[in-house]
Amino acid sequence: MRFFRCLLSVLLIGGFAVLAGCAVNPVTGKQELSLVSVSTPQEIALGEKAFPQAVQEMGGEYPDPQLSAYVNRVGERLGRLSHRPDLPYRFAVVNDSSPNAFALPGGFIAISRGLLSNLENEAQLASVLGHEVGHVTARHSVQGLQRGTLFNVGLAVLSGVAGNTAYGPLAQQAGELTAGLLENSYSRGQERESDQLGIDYMVQAGYNPLGAVQVQEYFYRQLEGGAEPMWLTGLFRTHPFSKDRMLDNQDYIRSAYPQALTQERYSLLRQPFESATARLRQAKGGYEIYDQARRLEQEGDLNKAIATYLQAAAAAPDESLILTGLGLAYLKADDLNSARIHLSRAVQLGGKYYQSRLGLGYVLLQRGQAAQAVRELESSMQLLPTMQGAFFLAQAYEKEGQVQKALELYRAVAQADPRGEMGQAAAERSRALEGGR
């Protein structure tokens, strides 16, 4: 009977033969019907492709190596105690104000600055990371991928059949894959399963499960008080939360781990957490002002936004994301000199965010410094391929006399945006260069 229930059929998806049938859930050990079979190497490869883009789209990594190492240590400890200890777990702090955390297939996990700065101890951090590890070990992202058409895109990205220019179909499909994985919303059942797995993992690692209680009570206070837009667009958007879920987890802890709540060997670890997050917490006020500046800019009040960005930069000096926002606002105001000063400083402090490099590259291009513009724009494209970056880089290549490279990028932009202003401008430059050869 098991054989007939799990009878395999062959589907042709994106030119690939894919087996559809049953997959074993690593947590429960049970066989589950799946439209497409995703192997562990495929799962890891999908995460590897999507994670860098996801990090870039959320502000890049927060540029604090000590904090990054600390979060990775906590997360990797949980991963090694999980049902899938052999995955290449990778943890990052993304420089985004929205309280959020997410997990991609294969063990690629992130927590946002906005959420981390509101936690109080290491056990709370372990609770959040353990929950995301639970999503990975139970293959929740993969289950969502299997049910949708996104797997077709994933296969194309993994195979590279769409071409691998600096910007082209492959880059677009990689972006589509990343967006689809980030938008994946978990069911209440999946959230409950990940809650309990996270509690299991943190207790095995020696943390007091009171940390999980504290985090969920904090979430409930946000929900009960009328969650701010950042919560609704962040954690609560993809991780549905309710009072019943909080109470279920408290019952689970009381029944499964009553001793861990009282025994000294299960710790909350407040001091190591405070030490590791010291810079993050010092910058919190500056980022609150930065968020105000972004809202003013979105509302069209550019002069007031610039003044507010300057206040944020004064409150939290040498924060590269704040300086990037300020530099880009000056660029929008056609103040190229001020834009260059602040974007150059942002790149110097933390040059691993694509918008810092993209903005600086554009400024250098407008100032006639094509060689320097090429360097910055190539770095931006390596971090996150974008149509704007490709177009500006093509312009810089053209000014440098690198006609073939310029042509390739112009053609890619024209193909990606055939009816748009940028795509039509790229097509025009492409025809002009082809006619001059």
Side-chain angles (χ1 to χ4, degrees), residues 178-195:
T178 301
L181 289 171
L182 288 177
E183 289 297 318
N184 180 52
S185 182
Y186 299 112
S187 69
R188 293 189 181 276
Q190 289 174 327
E191 285 296 279
R192 186 171 287 106
E193 182 178 29
S194 290
D195 283 340

Side-chain angles (χ1 to χ4, degrees), residues 52-62 93-102 110-113 182 233-234 237 321 353-354 384:
Q53 287 208 347
V55 169
Q56 286 298 310
E57 290 173 4
M58 299 186 73
E61 284 199 56
Y62 187 73
V93 180
V94 291
N95 203 354
D96 187 82
S97 297
S98 175
N100 208 347
F102 65 86
I111 182 172
S112 70
R113 166 178 47 79
L182 288 177
T233 59
R237 176 176 55 84
L321 186 63
Y353 181 39
Y354 85 100
L384 182 64

Side-chain angles (χ1 to χ4, degrees), residues 313-433:
D318 292 339
E319 289 291 326
S320 59
L321 186 63
I322 294 176
L323 293 172
T324 297
L326 176 57
L328 293 176
Y330 272 126
L331 183 56
K332 192 179 290 187
D334 293 324
D335 186 344
L336 293 183
N337 188 54
S338 295
R340 180 190 60 79
I341 291 171
H342 294 293
L343 289 169
S344 295
R345 182 59 178 158
V347 167
Q348 181 184 8
L349 290 167
K352 294 183 179 180
Y353 181 39
Y354 85 100
Q355 283 204 5
S356 309
R357 297 281 191 175
L358 176 59
L360 181 57
Y362 177 78
V363 169
L364 293 169
L365 184 63
Q366 296 305 303
R367 291 167 63 93
Q369 298 171 269
Q372 295 94 321
V374 165
R375 182 182 65 245
E376 298 301 331
L377 292 168
E378 284 181 340
S379 295
S380 175
M381 292 291 286
Q382 288 168 4
L383 290 166
L384 182 64
T386 62
M387 186 161 57
Q388 293 85 355
F391 184 79
F392 297 146
L393 182 54
Q395 289 184 317
Y397 281 146
E398 184 180 351
K399 290 181 182 296
E400 280 289 284
Q402 301 184 56
V403 177
Q404 186 57 42
K405 287 184 175 181
L407 262 174
E408 289 178 4
L409 283 178
Y410 280 137
R411 288 168 179 163
V413 173
Q415 181 182 359
D417 186 35
R419 291 189 173 87
E421 183 177 345
M422 190 168 290
Q424 292 177 4
E428 182 179 342
R429 288 309 307 152
S430 179
R431 287 191 294 269
L433 288 177

